[in-house]
Amino acid sequence: GWGSSQTDSWGAAPTKTELDSSSGAAASTSTAVKREPPSSNTMEAHEADTGETAVWFMERVCVQLKANDRHAVIKEINTDKTAVVELDDNTTQMVRVEDVARVEPKEKDMVLVIGGADVGVEGELVCIDGTDAILKDSNEDFKIVDFVHLAKIAAEN
């Protein structure tokens, strides 16, 4: 019956759960999650492949093409979730969100807050302190935000 430890019926649950030694996750009952250390100069998308566009996939965001590591700036987002990017040699190319990674901002870069309480704030990245970032917004006010919520943007022309 239900809850019986016998395994001769079609609905019996496994009585022993094997643990995957590398992650400690229950291998027979959960999906393994691939974890990679972050690359030094790019930040990967934080969302699963749910069909939703990454929150940072917007105009003026600096990206790096995964195919050849070239840097580009998103110029236009299309309704089919593709974007026109302008490469450093002023040529343009059509990309999808999975073809690019956002460029990790450095001190003195212009950044856009893409998550947390200060979404939409633009400013200059003044200092990186561990997981926190200090930025100076257009009103010369300083804000402390999580570094993961920042996207490097191109300065407006």
Side-chain angles (χ1 to χ4, degrees), residues 100-154:
V100 295
R102 64 186 161 130
V103 174
E104 186 171 284
K106 296 179 187 58
E107 292 177 4
K108 306 275 188 244
D109 284 344
M110 286 299 296
V111 293
L112 173 67
V113 181
I114 57 170
D118 294 304
V119 169
V121 172
E122 290 183 22
E124 178 185 337
L125 180 54
V126 176
C127 174
I128 301 167
D129 182 17
T131 59
D132 289 336
I134 300 171
L135 60 99
K136 184 166 60 173
D137 68 15
S138 58
N139 299 326
E140 302 290 313
D141 292 329
F142 290 90
K143 296 199 175 287
I144 299 174
V145 297
D146 282 336
F147 184 69
V148 297
H149 293 317
L150 293 181
K152 179 179 177 180
I153 57 172

Side-chain angles (χ1 to χ4, degrees), residues 53 60 64 67 78 88 90 129 136:
T53 305
R60 294 178 55 214
Q64 184 173 12
N78 301 314
D88 39 25
N90 293 329
D129 182 17
K136 184 166 60 173

